[in-house]
């Protein structure tokens, strides 16, 4: 095994077995009359992941329908991942949902929810830098959903397929970033993100609002081109992402999606030596993620962590090691 792979596996092991234990769980409260629809709306409209998790948890506890129980458990997992509570999410993915899946009445449901379970485990692996595991998980998702003819897939199955394509791109990018076959993996990631854009176009033709996920595909293409040292392409893709995020904000004006744009632009500017403008970008991203004066404030720890990492990198480049350590601690 190459040194880069050993280093990658070691970091992932530490994240799972040490890092996860340092994060306190969030309280899941009982919300009377919660439904799958109301819990989902709390996330998508208000961006309140903790209340959404409580809503889904309430449905899981009270529903007598096995499919609704699994949907609710998946909803809890989705929000716990958004909140960075991976250890709290694992029992749902590794015990609760696997015990419920065999009770489903149809094989089609079994295929979908087993794909969804691997999807969420893949998300966690991606966030913790376990890109080899993430690649395996999303490969499993493609294997499961790929057995259903494309023209026969439900909206949920199409979305699961799209997610697997997107995260396989992220897995290959992550491996490239860690020094594992850099050019090969980064180029493969570009292919997946372009595949994702083609799927976005098909979804648009069905009348779906794809601006956010399309923007993320462009944002990840920007990162790929930056890693491959195609600077002009990296900036072009990033500006396309920003424009799509702004379009999406016309429907969801209170969400913090633009912080992703500012973080990526900040890191591009850092590499170009434009440190003052980069600082403005990271500060704007932090402002978006800490503006908790709004009652519909969207708390997203991963996004805030990335912005603090940008500030840490700026401090390091200014040889202010104390401040770099302070921002690094905030990011952790």
């Amino acid at each position: 095994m190459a040194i880069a792979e050993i280093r990658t596996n070691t970091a992932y092991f530490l994240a799972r077995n040490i890092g996860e234990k340092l994060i306190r769980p969030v309280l899941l409260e009982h919300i009377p009359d919660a439904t799958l629809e109301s819990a989902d709306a709390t996330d998508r409209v208000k961006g309140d992941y903790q209340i959404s998790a409580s809503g889904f948890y309430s449905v899981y506890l009270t529903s007598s329908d096995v499919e609704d129980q699994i949907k609710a458990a998946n909803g809890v997992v989705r929000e716990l991942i958004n909140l960075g509570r991976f250890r709290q999410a694992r029992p749902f993915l590794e015990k609760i949902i696997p015990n419920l899946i065999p009770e489903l009445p149809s094989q089609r449901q079994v295929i979908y929810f087993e794909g969804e379970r691997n999807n969420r485990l893949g998300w966690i692996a991606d966030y913790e830098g376990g890109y080899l595991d993430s690649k395996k998980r999303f490969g499993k998702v493609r294997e499961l959903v790929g057995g259903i003819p494309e023209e026969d897939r439900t909206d949920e199955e199409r979305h699961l397929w799209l997610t697997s394509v997107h995260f396989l791109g992220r897995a290959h990018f992550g491996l490239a970033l860690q020094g594992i076959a850099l050019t090969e993996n980064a180029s493969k990631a570009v292919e997946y993100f372009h595949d994702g854009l083609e799927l976005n176009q098909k979804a648009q033709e069905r009348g779906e609002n794809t601006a956010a996920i399309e923007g993320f595909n462009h944002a990840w293409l920007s990162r790929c081109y930056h890693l491959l040292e195609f600077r002009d392409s990296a900036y072009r893709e990033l500006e396309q992402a920003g424009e799509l995020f702004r379009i999406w904000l016309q429907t969801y004006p209170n969400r913090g999606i633009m912080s992703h744009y500012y973080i990526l632009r900040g890191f591009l500017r850092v590499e170009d030596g434009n440190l003052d403008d980069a600082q403005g970008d990271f500060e704007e991203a932090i402002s978006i993620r800490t503006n908790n004066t709004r009652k519909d404030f969207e708390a997203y720890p991963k996004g805030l962590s990335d912005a603090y990492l940008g500030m840490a990198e700026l401090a390091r480049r200014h040889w202010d090691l104390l401040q770099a350590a302070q921002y690094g601690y905030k990011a952790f």
Side-chain angles (χ1 to χ4, degrees):
M1 183 179 292
I3 292 176
E5 288 190 27
I6 294 173
R7 186 169 60 243
T8 295
N9 288 335
T10 300
Y12 182 41
F13 174 85
L14 293 174
R16 287 192 60 177
N17 293 281
I18 297 178
E20 285 188 12
K21 294 179 181 179
L22 299 176
I23 308 300
R24 290 179 296 179
V26 297
L27 177 64
L28 297 177
E29 303 178 44
H30 175 63
I31 299 179
D33 302 322
T35 65
L36 293 171
E37 292 74 19
S38 67
D40 185 63
T42 302
D43 171 330
R44 298 189 186 282
V45 178
K46 297 182 178 180
D48 193 327
Y49 301 136
Q50 186 164 348
I51 297 299
S52 179
S54 292
F56 281 121
Y57 188 61
S58 300
V59 175
Y60 163 71
L61 291 177
T62 58
S63 177
S64 58
D65 181 87
V66 66
E67 184 176 2
D68 283 351
Q69 283 183 304
I70 296 175
K71 287 181 177 179
N74 271 324
V76 176
V77 168
R78 184 182 78 189
E79 307 310 340
L80 291 176
I81 291 174
N82 283 334
L83 291 165
R85 267 57 178 196
F86 306 141
R87 188 170 186 233
Q88 194 175 358
R90 287 191 186 279
F92 289 93
L93 293 168
E94 295 172 352
K95 295 180 181 179
I96 293 172
I97 293 174
N99 287 337
L100 289 171
I101 284 177
E103 299 179 24
L104 289 165
S106 77
Q107 184 61 23
R108 183 74 169 263
Q109 290 172 306
V110 170
I111 289 172
Y112 171 74
F113 285 113
E114 183 60 25
E116 189 66 86
R117 189 178 76 87
N118 277 277
N119 169 37
R120 299 301 175 186
L121 286 167
W123 276 53
I124 293 175
D126 175 272
Y127 282 172
E128 293 186 322
Y131 300 115
L132 292 169
D133 188 18
S134 174
K135 181 182 171 184
K136 182 178 82 171
R137 293 290 182 183
F138 286 106
K140 180 65 175 177
V141 174
R142 282 171 65 86
E143 177 187 330
L144 289 163
V145 181
I148 303 170
E150 184 175 354
E151 62 275 12
D152 293 338
R153 292 174 192 165
T154 64
D155 289 344
E156 291 80 6
E157 289 162 348
R158 281 196 292 264
H159 180 74
L160 190 55
W161 178 265
L162 173 61
T163 302
S164 72
V165 170
H166 178 76
F167 273 89
L168 279 167
R170 286 172 58 149
H172 281 282
F173 173 81
L175 292 172
L177 194 63
Q178 291 172 339
I180 301 173
L182 188 153
T183 301
E184 178 184 344
N185 274 311
S187 299
K188 189 66 176 176
V190 168
E191 291 179 21
Y192 275 118
F193 293 130
H194 277 296
D195 288 346
L197 288 172
E198 290 183 14
L199 291 170
N200 295 153
Q201 183 61 43
K202 291 180 180 179
Q204 280 184 17
E205 292 168 2
R206 294 192 298 268
E208 297 178 24
N209 181 355
T210 67
I213 187 61
E214 188 178 352
F216 280 117
N217 277 318
H218 283 292
W220 281 92
L221 281 169
S222 174
R223 298 187 72 183
C224 291
Y225 288 135
H226 182 223
L227 189 61
L228 292 166
E229 299 185 357
F230 299 139
R231 289 285 195 275
D232 290 344
S233 296
Y235 275 106
R236 184 180 65 251
E237 293 291 342
L238 180 59
E239 290 310 313
Q240 284 185 268
E243 185 59 33
L244 286 159
F245 290 161
R246 293 183 185 97
I247 291 171
W248 192 74
L249 283 172
Q250 293 173 12
T251 305
Y252 301 101
N254 296 318
R255 301 303 293 270
I257 196 170
M258 282 302 294
S259 68
H260 299 289
Y261 167 80
Y262 288 114
I263 288 167
L264 289 179
R265 193 172 71 173
F267 277 110
L268 284 177
R269 285 172 161 175
V270 167
E271 292 302 315
D272 288 342
N274 189 355
L275 302 188
D276 288 342
D277 286 341
Q279 181 171 335
D281 285 329
F282 293 134
E283 288 175 346
E284 181 65 24
I286 291 169
S287 175
I288 290 171
R289 290 299 183 197
T290 55
N291 182 16
N292 57 3
T293 57
R294 304 193 318 260
K295 67 177 181 179
D296 54 356
F297 169 66
E298 177 189 33
Y300 183 51
K302 176 67 166 60
L304 184 56
S305 175
D306 287 342
Y308 283 140
L309 285 174
M311 294 297 289
E313 177 61 16
L314 285 176
R316 187 188 70 81
R317 294 197 177 217
H318 285 302
W319 292 98
D320 189 342
L321 300 186
L322 176 59
Q323 189 174 68
Q326 289 171 339
Y327 276 119
Y329 179 75
K330 286 184 176 183
F332 175 79

